Amino acid sequence: MKTSATEELHLAEMEDGDRPVMRSIKRGFLGRCPACGDARLFRAFIKSVDACAACGERMDHHRADDFPPYIVVTIVGHAVLAGYMMTDLVLPLSTWRHLAIWAPVTLASSVALLQPVKGAVIGLQWALKMHGFGGKEDGPEDVLPARDASA
């Protein structure tokens, strides 16, 4: 099958320009509504608003749950480990000095990244019409066959 240079990947039943994924993730990362990009996405540190103040899009049914902390741990863990190893190669520091440097760096960067990453996950869910953003409630995708009692 040949593809032309103008063809684009469309996820699920998305129409052209319906909900661009990268734009929605960027808006969420910046703490803005993924739908309109105007209003704030968070009313507290990591508590999202119930609905957008500008466009009225509901945000209360997102399911970010534990995914943002997993992403933050992965990013911060790699960055801090690389920094620790590079510092250890250049400067012969004691364990306590490394701890005095890298524990605050780890804590500060984790706290700084948590809200933007959660916003990006909410933006991704909105763009892909997941967890109620598509107009239908969450439910099982597949219906399992009835269990055979004789087996």
Side-chain angles (χ1 to χ4, degrees):
M1 179 174 148
K2 293 183 178 182
T3 59
S4 67
T6 59
E7 285 188 56
E8 295 178 9
L9 173 67
H10 297 287
L11 301 173
E13 300 169 0
M14 291 178 58
E15 299 170 6
D16 288 334
D18 192 16
R19 293 185 179 191
V21 176
M22 290 309 295
R23 185 184 71 190
S24 302
I25 291 173
K26 180 182 175 186
R27 286 178 176 175
F29 188 83
L30 296 174
R32 312 312 277 161
C33 171
C36 66
D38 292 331
R40 292 181 13 211
L41 183 58
F42 296 100
R43 66 174 178 222
F45 178 60
I46 56 171
K47 180 69 175 166
S48 65
V49 296
D50 291 333
C52 176
C55 67
E57 178 75 32
R58 284 185 54 212
M59 297 291 163
D60 59 340
H61 46 71
H62 73 83
R63 297 286 179 261
D65 298 335
D66 293 336
F67 190 46
Y70 290 144
I71 295 172
V72 169
V73 166
T74 302
I75 293 169
V76 172
H78 281 81
V80 168
L81 183 61
Y84 168 79
M85 292 175 73
M86 286 188 289
T87 304
D88 198 40
L89 287 174
V90 176
L91 299 171
L93 298 176
S94 68
T95 303
W96 289 108
R97 287 183 181 168
H98 276 296
L99 189 61
I101 294 169
W102 297 109
V105 168
T106 302
L107 184 63
S109 56
S110 296
V111 170
L113 271 178
L114 189 57
Q115 185 184 35
V117 169
K118 182 171 181 175
V121 169
I122 293 172
L124 176 68
Q125 290 178 358
W126 179 83
L128 299 180
K129 299 179 181 180
M130 297 169 63
H131 306 297
F133 284 119
K136 62 179 185 176
E137 294 300 318
D138 279 342
E141 293 285 328
D142 299 323
V143 177
L144 297 175
R147 188 171 183 176
D148 186 13
S150 63

